[in-house]
Each structure stands twice: as structure tokens, then as C-alpha cells.
Amino acid sequence: MHPEGGCGLARHGTYERRSPPGTRIARWYCPKGHRTFSLLPDCLAARMPGTLAEIEAFLVSREQAKSLEAACLSLRPEIEWPGLLRWARRRIQAVYTALHLLKGLLPTLFEGCPPTLAGFSQRLGSEGVLPALRSIAAPFLAELPTPLGLRPRRPRGARPDRALQHSTGADPPGLMA
Ligand SMILES: [Zn+2]
């Protein structure tokens, strides 16, 4: 909100995340803007429980499995089947949307690379694709969907997405006018 500084941004305690257990996220507060900011570590999923590595492990198993159901068999036995499929589809849709967008945003790096975790992993020479993308895609995180990026899901019925149009910051007044 105040890249020029001088607004008095200050530590504002922490909040706890249930997963992974014991995680505390540092918060900061801007007194001029009356807003708090959370410092989410690169290893954690945004607006979803758990780590990016856990989500990546599931998606890699999905890429290797014959079906979504087969990939889900070993997952979270405490969740009933319809909930599990929703859990899986939500992550699949969000992460592959982000990979597609990143191919376009970083054409030099990802040209000709399949927009899959296997493809990105090979291109980056790293298995921790999602945590690595947090720094590689740092300029775009506000515009990439969670859990990799920081852009919350659009509410049902909202106007079409205007994210990747070089606007900066979240919802400046008048954007939707
Ligand atoms: Zn500020």
C-alpha cells in the first residue's frame, strides 16, 4: 500500500495455522491503511491447509495415475469420497491454471515445456516445483490463483477475470466500474 515507506508498518503478532501443526504466521499492520499483512512462508499453501510440497506430491501422483480416483485412493482416508474428489479437483484446477499462466508470463523459461509438474520439474531441474515457483514467479504471485499464488478464487457470478492485465495491487477502486 505504501511502497515509499514511512507509514509505520509494524509487527502485529502471529496467527496459528492448523496444518502443519504448530505453524505460526507473522503478521504486520499498516496503521495508515488500517490493514494487516501476513508473511506466508514459501513452503506453505495460500488459503488452503498444508504445504505446497504436499499438494505437489498429490499432483505428481495424479500425473502418473490412470485416473483421478486411482490417485485419490491413498489420500486422506478421513474425508468421504465426494469431498475427497472436490479436494482433489480444486487443487488440480488451481495449480494447472497457474502453470498455464506462467508459461505465458515466462516464455523464455517455459517455452515448449508441457504445463505439468513433470514438465516444469524437468525444465527447472528440481522436484520442489511449487515452492521454487514462489520465487521464480514472485512478480506475478498476486495474480496467480491460490494455493501457489495469492489471488483468492473469484466468487460465483463475478465478472470475468481481469487479473493478468498489468494492474498492480488488489482491486483498486474503480477497477470494476
Ligand atoms: Zn502502509
Side-chain angles (χ1 to χ4, degrees):
M1 298 178 86
H2 307 106
E4 73 283 3
C7 64
L9 190 72
R11 288 297 299 257
H12 194 64
T14 61
Y15 71 89
E16 188 172 1
R17 274 174 58 127
R18 265 179 289 175
S19 171
T23 306
R24 303 200 72 89
I25 306 292
R27 284 203 300 181
W28 292 68
Y29 179 66
C30 168
K32 241 182 175 175
H34 306 287
R35 270 178 64 177
T36 57
F37 295 85
S38 300
L39 267 63
L40 187 72
D42 280 351
C43 60
L44 295 183
R47 292 179 187 261
M48 283 184 195
T51 64
L52 287 177
E54 288 164 357
I55 292 172
E56 181 165 340
F58 166 69
L59 295 173
V60 167
S61 72
R62 171 64 191 98
E63 288 180 5
Q64 294 165 353
K66 285 190 178 130
S67 66
L68 177 60
E69 287 75 8
C72 287
L73 277 178
S74 61
L75 271 180
R76 305 174 65 98
E78 76 278 13
I79 303 184
E80 290 186 19
W81 200 241
L84 193 57
L85 292 176
R86 269 199 307 278
W87 182 99
R89 286 197 182 106
R90 186 175 163 198
R91 281 153 182 79
I92 288 168
Q93 197 200 2
V95 170
Y96 290 110
T97 298
L99 298 187
H100 272 283
L101 291 170
L102 281 173
K103 265 197 77 164
L105 290 164
L106 298 167
T108 318
L109 186 53
F110 294 118
E111 192 181 5
C113 173
T116 60
L117 286 165
F120 272 49
S121 171
Q122 197 177 23
R123 183 61 55 95
L124 295 174
S126 148
E127 283 184 3
V129 170
L130 297 183
L133 287 176
R134 276 273 171 80
S135 37
I136 293 166
F140 310 115
L141 287 180
E143 290 147 21
L144 295 172
T146 59
L148 172 63
L150 304 172
R151 182 166 62 82
R153 284 197 300 172
R154 198 155 34 91
R156 272 169 206 276
R159 295 267 302 267
D161 192 32
R162 302 185 60 167
L164 295 162
Q165 293 185 7
H166 303 279
S167 69
T168 56
D171 298 336
L175 182 69
M176 303 304 278

Tab-separated table of all heavy atoms in Angstrom, residues 104-148:
chain	number	residue	atom	x	y	z
A	104	GLY	N	2.856	-18.536	-20.213
A	104	GLY	CA	2.704	-17.313	-20.989
A	104	GLY	C	3.487	-16.150	-20.398
A	104	GLY	O	4.012	-15.308	-21.136
A	105	LEU	N	3.561	-16.109	-19.073
A	105	LEU	CA	4.216	-14.965	-18.430
A	105	LEU	C	5.733	-15.064	-18.478
A	105	LEU	O	6.429	-14.046	-18.430
A	105	LEU	CB	3.762	-14.888	-16.959
A	105	LEU	CG	2.297	-14.480	-16.750
A	105	LEU	CD1	1.844	-14.806	-15.331
A	105	LEU	CD2	2.124	-12.991	-17.036
A	106	LEU	N	6.245	-16.299	-18.532
A	106	LEU	CA	7.695	-16.508	-18.542
A	106	LEU	C	8.078	-17.365	-19.754
A	106	LEU	O	8.576	-18.485	-19.617
A	106	LEU	CB	8.129	-17.203	-17.238
A	106	LEU	CG	7.860	-16.428	-15.944
A	106	LEU	CD1	8.022	-17.328	-14.726
A	106	LEU	CD2	8.801	-15.232	-15.843
A	107	PRO	N	7.841	-16.825	-20.965
A	107	PRO	CA	8.018	-17.663	-22.165
A	107	PRO	C	9.466	-18.101	-22.366
A	107	PRO	O	9.708	-19.189	-22.895
A	107	PRO	CB	7.546	-16.745	-23.305
A	107	PRO	CG	7.594	-15.355	-22.760
A	107	PRO	CD	7.392	-15.467	-21.290
A	108	THR	N	10.411	-17.300	-21.963
A	108	THR	CA	11.807	-17.692	-22.175
A	108	THR	C	12.137	-18.937	-21.367
A	108	THR	O	12.837	-19.837	-21.833
A	108	THR	CB	12.753	-16.553	-21.732
A	108	THR	OG1	12.202	-15.325	-22.182
A	108	THR	CG2	14.130	-16.731	-22.303
A	109	LEU	N	11.615	-18.975	-20.153
A	109	LEU	CA	11.914	-20.097	-19.269
A	109	LEU	C	11.120	-21.350	-19.640
A	109	LEU	O	11.643	-22.465	-19.601
A	109	LEU	CB	11.603	-19.675	-17.828
A	109	LEU	CG	11.977	-20.652	-16.710
A	109	LEU	CD1	13.437	-21.073	-16.795
A	109	LEU	CD2	11.679	-20.026	-15.362
A	110	PHE	N	9.842	-21.174	-20.004
A	110	PHE	CA	8.975	-22.345	-20.127
A	110	PHE	C	8.515	-22.638	-21.553
A	110	PHE	O	7.635	-23.462	-21.752
A	110	PHE	CB	7.756	-22.197	-19.207
A	110	PHE	CG	8.128	-22.222	-17.745
A	110	PHE	CD1	7.891	-21.131	-16.931
A	110	PHE	CD2	8.736	-23.342	-17.194
A	110	PHE	CE1	8.248	-21.155	-15.582
A	110	PHE	CE2	9.101	-23.381	-15.847
A	110	PHE	CZ	8.844	-22.282	-15.044
A	111	GLU	N	9.123	-22.008	-22.551
A	111	GLU	CA	8.721	-22.271	-23.925
A	111	GLU	C	8.888	-23.753	-24.266
A	111	GLU	O	9.930	-24.353	-23.964
A	111	GLU	CB	9.554	-21.419	-24.891
A	111	GLU	CG	8.968	-21.446	-26.284
A	111	GLU	CD	9.776	-20.621	-27.278
A	111	GLU	OE1	10.852	-20.118	-26.886
A	111	GLU	OE2	9.333	-20.513	-28.422
A	112	GLY	N	7.848	-24.335	-24.851
A	112	GLY	CA	7.914	-25.735	-25.265
A	112	GLY	C	7.799	-26.729	-24.126
A	112	GLY	O	7.947	-27.934	-24.325
A	113	CYS	N	7.561	-26.244	-22.949
A	113	CYS	CA	7.519	-27.112	-21.771
A	113	CYS	C	6.060	-27.485	-21.492
A	113	CYS	O	5.206	-26.608	-21.438
A	113	CYS	CB	8.119	-26.326	-20.612
A	113	CYS	SG	7.989	-27.107	-19.027
A	114	PRO	N	5.751	-28.778	-21.338
A	114	PRO	CA	4.356	-29.110	-21.024
A	114	PRO	C	3.954	-28.472	-19.685
A	114	PRO	O	4.758	-28.475	-18.751
A	114	PRO	CB	4.355	-30.643	-20.900
A	114	PRO	CG	5.687	-31.099	-21.367
A	114	PRO	CD	6.628	-29.937	-21.337
A	115	PRO	N	2.740	-27.930	-19.596
A	115	PRO	CA	2.327	-27.272	-18.356
A	115	PRO	C	1.895	-28.286	-17.300
A	115	PRO	O	0.765	-28.288	-16.829
A	115	PRO	CB	1.155	-26.390	-18.799
A	115	PRO	CG	0.583	-27.105	-19.978
A	115	PRO	CD	1.727	-27.830	-20.649
A	116	THR	N	2.828	-29.174	-16.970
A	116	THR	CA	2.577	-30.202	-15.957
A	116	THR	C	3.690	-30.111	-14.926
A	116	THR	O	4.738	-29.484	-15.173
A	116	THR	CB	2.636	-31.605	-16.571
A	116	THR	OG1	3.954	-31.796	-17.125
A	116	THR	CG2	1.594	-31.775	-17.667
A	117	LEU	N	3.494	-30.778	-13.792
A	117	LEU	CA	4.566	-30.770	-12.795
A	117	LEU	C	5.768	-31.539	-13.296
A	117	LEU	O	6.903	-31.144	-13.050
A	117	LEU	CB	4.042	-31.311	-11.470
A	117	LEU	CG	3.141	-30.272	-10.795
A	117	LEU	CD1	2.331	-30.880	-9.697
A	117	LEU	CD2	3.954	-29.097	-10.272
A	118	ALA	N	5.530	-32.614	-14.047
A	118	ALA	CA	6.664	-33.348	-14.617
A	118	ALA	C	7.439	-32.452	-15.576
A	118	ALA	O	8.679	-32.402	-15.545
A	118	ALA	CB	6.163	-34.600	-15.329
A	119	GLY	N	6.717	-31.723	-16.428
A	119	GLY	CA	7.366	-30.840	-17.391
A	119	GLY	C	8.129	-29.720	-16.714
A	119	GLY	O	9.293	-29.448	-17.046
A	120	PHE	N	7.496	-29.068	-15.761
A	120	PHE	CA	8.151	-27.960	-15.066
A	120	PHE	C	9.333	-28.458	-14.236
A	120	PHE	O	10.363	-27.794	-14.136
A	120	PHE	CB	7.146	-27.222	-14.172
A	120	PHE	CG	6.408	-26.114	-14.873
A	120	PHE	CD1	5.811	-26.329	-16.107
A	120	PHE	CD2	6.305	-24.846	-14.312
A	120	PHE	CE1	5.128	-25.309	-16.768
A	120	PHE	CE2	5.627	-23.818	-14.965
A	120	PHE	CZ	5.040	-24.048	-16.190
A	121	SER	N	9.172	-29.646	-13.649
A	121	SER	CA	10.245	-30.208	-12.839
A	121	SER	C	11.479	-30.463	-13.693
A	121	SER	O	12.613	-30.155	-13.306
A	121	SER	CB	9.748	-31.509	-12.199
A	121	SER	OG	10.797	-32.179	-11.582
A	122	GLN	N	11.251	-30.999	-14.894
A	122	GLN	CA	12.378	-31.270	-15.784
A	122	GLN	C	13.045	-29.963	-16.209
A	122	GLN	O	14.263	-29.837	-16.201
A	122	GLN	CB	11.869	-32.038	-16.994
A	122	GLN	CG	12.981	-32.711	-17.757
A	122	GLN	CD	12.427	-33.537	-18.911
A	122	GLN	OE1	11.312	-33.284	-19.388
A	122	GLN	NE2	13.195	-34.501	-19.355
A	123	ARG	N	12.216	-28.970	-16.543
A	123	ARG	CA	12.753	-27.698	-17.005
A	123	ARG	C	13.562	-27.000	-15.911
A	123	ARG	O	14.607	-26.413	-16.155
A	123	ARG	CB	11.608	-26.809	-17.493
A	123	ARG	CG	12.020	-25.479	-18.061
A	123	ARG	CD	12.918	-25.604	-19.282
A	123	ARG	NE	12.400	-26.409	-20.362
A	123	ARG	CZ	11.736	-25.937	-21.422
A	123	ARG	NH1	11.521	-24.640	-21.526
A	123	ARG	NH2	11.317	-26.740	-22.367
A	124	LEU	N	13.058	-27.081	-14.679
A	124	LEU	CA	13.722	-26.377	-13.579
A	124	LEU	C	14.838	-27.207	-12.955
A	124	LEU	O	15.635	-26.693	-12.166
A	124	LEU	CB	12.706	-26.008	-12.487
A	124	LEU	CG	11.617	-25.011	-12.895
A	124	LEU	CD1	10.605	-24.845	-11.777
A	124	LEU	CD2	12.232	-23.658	-13.255
A	125	GLY	N	14.883	-28.509	-13.303
A	125	GLY	CA	15.881	-29.374	-12.687
A	125	GLY	C	15.687	-29.502	-11.193
A	125	GLY	O	16.651	-29.616	-10.437
A	126	SER	N	14.414	-29.483	-10.777
A	126	SER	CA	14.136	-29.509	-9.347
A	126	SER	C	12.839	-30.251	-9.118
A	126	SER	O	11.933	-30.225	-9.949
A	126	SER	CB	14.031	-28.070	-8.837
A	126	SER	OG	13.113	-27.972	-7.765
A	127	GLU	N	12.739	-30.945	-7.986
A	127	GLU	CA	11.488	-31.645	-7.693
A	127	GLU	C	10.507	-30.754	-6.958
A	127	GLU	O	9.310	-30.944	-7.060
A	127	GLU	CB	11.767	-32.898	-6.862
A	127	GLU	CG	12.304	-34.008	-7.738
A	127	GLU	CD	12.505	-35.289	-6.963
A	127	GLU	OE1	12.168	-35.327	-5.766
A	127	GLU	OE2	13.019	-36.238	-7.573
A	128	GLY	N	10.999	-29.808	-6.215
A	128	GLY	CA	10.093	-28.923	-5.478
A	128	GLY	C	9.625	-27.794	-6.382
A	128	GLY	O	9.984	-26.632	-6.197
A	129	VAL	N	8.795	-28.134	-7.374
A	129	VAL	CA	8.400	-27.146	-8.378
A	129	VAL	C	7.597	-26.007	-7.746
A	129	VAL	O	7.893	-24.830	-7.969
A	129	VAL	CB	7.583	-27.814	-9.500
A	129	VAL	CG1	6.950	-26.777	-10.411
A	129	VAL	CG2	8.474	-28.751	-10.304
A	130	LEU	N	6.579	-26.348	-6.965
A	130	LEU	CA	5.701	-25.288	-6.462
A	130	LEU	C	6.432	-24.332	-5.504
A	130	LEU	O	6.322	-23.111	-5.669
A	130	LEU	CB	4.439	-25.876	-5.822
A	130	LEU	CG	3.534	-26.674	-6.777
A	130	LEU	CD1	2.290	-27.154	-6.054
A	130	LEU	CD2	3.166	-25.852	-7.999
A	131	PRO	N	7.192	-24.850	-4.526
A	131	PRO	CA	7.944	-23.892	-3.698
A	131	PRO	C	8.932	-23.062	-4.526
A	131	PRO	O	9.104	-21.864	-4.278
A	131	PRO	CB	8.673	-24.783	-2.683
A	131	PRO	CG	7.853	-26.036	-2.623
A	131	PRO	CD	7.289	-26.220	-4.008
A	132	ALA	N	9.575	-23.693	-5.529
A	132	ALA	CA	10.532	-22.934	-6.354
A	132	ALA	C	9.822	-21.836	-7.140
A	132	ALA	O	10.360	-20.740	-7.334
A	132	ALA	CB	11.260	-23.884	-7.313
A	133	LEU	N	8.582	-22.113	-7.568
A	133	LEU	CA	7.860	-21.112	-8.363
A	133	LEU	C	7.495	-19.884	-7.534
A	133	LEU	O	7.289	-18.805	-8.083
A	133	LEU	CB	6.598	-21.721	-8.981
A	133	LEU	CG	6.839	-22.693	-10.139
A	133	LEU	CD1	5.520	-23.305	-10.606
A	133	LEU	CD2	7.540	-22.001	-11.315
A	134	ARG	N	7.428	-20.048	-6.231
A	134	ARG	CA	7.137	-18.874	-5.401
A	134	ARG	C	8.183	-17.776	-5.616
A	134	ARG	O	7.854	-16.603	-5.649
A	134	ARG	CB	7.100	-19.268	-3.925
A	134	ARG	CG	5.754	-19.832	-3.483
A	134	ARG	CD	4.809	-18.738	-3.066
A	134	ARG	NE	3.449	-19.223	-2.847
A	134	ARG	CZ	3.044	-19.842	-1.734
A	134	ARG	NH1	3.902	-20.050	-0.744
A	134	ARG	NH2	1.809	-20.236	-1.629
A	135	SER	N	9.454	-18.164	-5.765
A	135	SER	CA	10.437	-17.110	-6.030
A	135	SER	C	10.564	-16.811	-7.513
A	135	SER	O	10.664	-15.648	-7.907
A	135	SER	CB	11.798	-17.424	-5.403
A	135	SER	OG	12.088	-18.777	-5.462
A	136	ILE	N	10.508	-17.852	-8.360
A	136	ILE	CA	10.631	-17.605	-9.809
A	136	ILE	C	9.494	-16.708	-10.292
A	136	ILE	O	9.687	-15.829	-11.125
A	136	ILE	CB	10.624	-18.950	-10.563
A	136	ILE	CG1	11.894	-19.742	-10.229
A	136	ILE	CG2	10.507	-18.742	-12.068
A	136	ILE	CD1	11.845	-21.193	-10.636
A	137	ALA	N	8.292	-16.940	-9.764
A	137	ALA	CA	7.105	-16.199	-10.225
A	137	ALA	C	6.755	-15.059	-9.283
A	137	ALA	O	5.631	-14.558	-9.316
A	137	ALA	CB	5.922	-17.159	-10.352
A	138	ALA	N	7.705	-14.638	-8.475
A	138	ALA	CA	7.409	-13.631	-7.449
A	138	ALA	C	6.660	-12.402	-7.978
A	138	ALA	O	5.712	-11.949	-7.346
A	138	ALA	CB	8.690	-13.221	-6.735
A	139	PRO	N	7.039	-11.856	-9.160
A	139	PRO	CA	6.329	-10.640	-9.601
A	139	PRO	C	4.859	-10.889	-9.927
A	139	PRO	O	4.094	-9.936	-10.036
A	139	PRO	CB	7.082	-10.227	-10.873
A	139	PRO	CG	8.341	-11.010	-10.895
A	139	PRO	CD	8.111	-12.233	-10.089
A	140	PHE	N	4.477	-12.145	-10.103
A	140	PHE	CA	3.117	-12.447	-10.560
A	140	PHE	C	2.239	-13.075	-9.486
A	140	PHE	O	1.102	-13.440	-9.765
A	140	PHE	CB	3.168	-13.402	-11.758
A	140	PHE	CG	4.096	-12.957	-12.841
A	140	PHE	CD1	5.227	-13.696	-13.155
A	140	PHE	CD2	3.850	-11.781	-13.544
A	140	PHE	CE1	6.094	-13.281	-14.154
A	140	PHE	CE2	4.713	-11.358	-14.536
A	140	PHE	CZ	5.838	-12.106	-14.842
A	141	LEU	N	2.760	-13.250	-8.279
A	141	LEU	CA	2.015	-14.025	-7.275
A	141	LEU	C	0.642	-13.443	-6.975
A	141	LEU	O	-0.314	-14.174	-6.744
A	141	LEU	CB	2.823	-14.142	-5.975
A	141	LEU	CG	4.028	-15.090	-6.043
A	141	LEU	CD1	4.744	-15.121	-4.702
A	141	LEU	CD2	3.616	-16.492	-6.456
A	142	ALA	N	0.534	-12.128	-6.987
A	142	ALA	CA	-0.758	-11.512	-6.659
A	142	ALA	C	-1.802	-11.841	-7.707
A	142	ALA	O	-2.995	-11.729	-7.453
A	142	ALA	CB	-0.599	-10.004	-6.523
A	143	GLU	N	-1.351	-12.264	-8.889
A	143	GLU	CA	-2.280	-12.515	-9.980
A	143	GLU	C	-2.460	-13.996	-10.285
A	143	GLU	O	-3.262	-14.361	-11.137
A	143	GLU	CB	-1.801	-11.773	-11.235
A	143	GLU	CG	-1.967	-10.276	-11.073
A	143	GLU	CD	-0.889	-9.490	-11.787
A	143	GLU	OE1	-0.273	-10.048	-12.698
A	143	GLU	OE2	-0.670	-8.336	-11.401
A	144	LEU	N	-1.726	-14.864	-9.605
A	144	LEU	CA	-1.881	-16.304	-9.809
A	144	LEU	C	-2.798	-16.866	-8.733
A	144	LEU	O	-2.759	-16.426	-7.588
A	144	LEU	CB	-0.518	-17.007	-9.732
A	144	LEU	CG	0.492	-16.649	-10.815
A	144	LEU	CD1	1.844	-17.277	-10.499
A	144	LEU	CD2	0.003	-17.099	-12.184
A	145	PRO	N	-3.626	-17.872	-9.117
A	145	PRO	CA	-4.573	-18.393	-8.127
A	145	PRO	C	-3.891	-19.124	-6.975
A	145	PRO	O	-2.831	-19.726	-7.152
A	145	PRO	CB	-5.439	-19.364	-8.952
A	145	PRO	CG	-4.656	-19.675	-10.181
A	145	PRO	CD	-3.749	-18.524	-10.428
A	146	THR	N	-4.539	-19.074	-5.825
A	146	THR	CA	-4.088	-19.863	-4.685
A	146	THR	C	-4.296	-21.346	-5.012
A	146	THR	O	-5.161	-21.658	-5.831
A	146	THR	CB	-4.912	-19.528	-3.433
A	146	THR	OG1	-6.285	-19.802	-3.714
A	146	THR	CG2	-4.745	-18.073	-3.039
A	147	PRO	N	-3.517	-22.269	-4.476
A	147	PRO	CA	-2.580	-22.135	-3.364
A	147	PRO	C	-1.168	-21.720	-3.751
A	147	PRO	O	-0.371	-21.424	-2.873
A	147	PRO	CB	-2.539	-23.552	-2.790
A	147	PRO	CG	-2.724	-24.441	-3.993
A	147	PRO	CD	-3.677	-23.694	-4.878
A	148	LEU	N	-0.831	-21.689	-5.076
A	148	LEU	CA	0.527	-21.271	-5.447
A	148	LEU	C	0.630	-19.755	-5.352
A	148	LEU	O	1.531	-19.216	-4.718
A	148	LEU	CB	0.859	-21.734	-6.877
A	148	LEU	CG	2.177	-21.201	-7.436
A	148	LEU	CD1	3.356	-21.695	-6.613
A	148	LEU	CD2	2.361	-21.584	-8.897
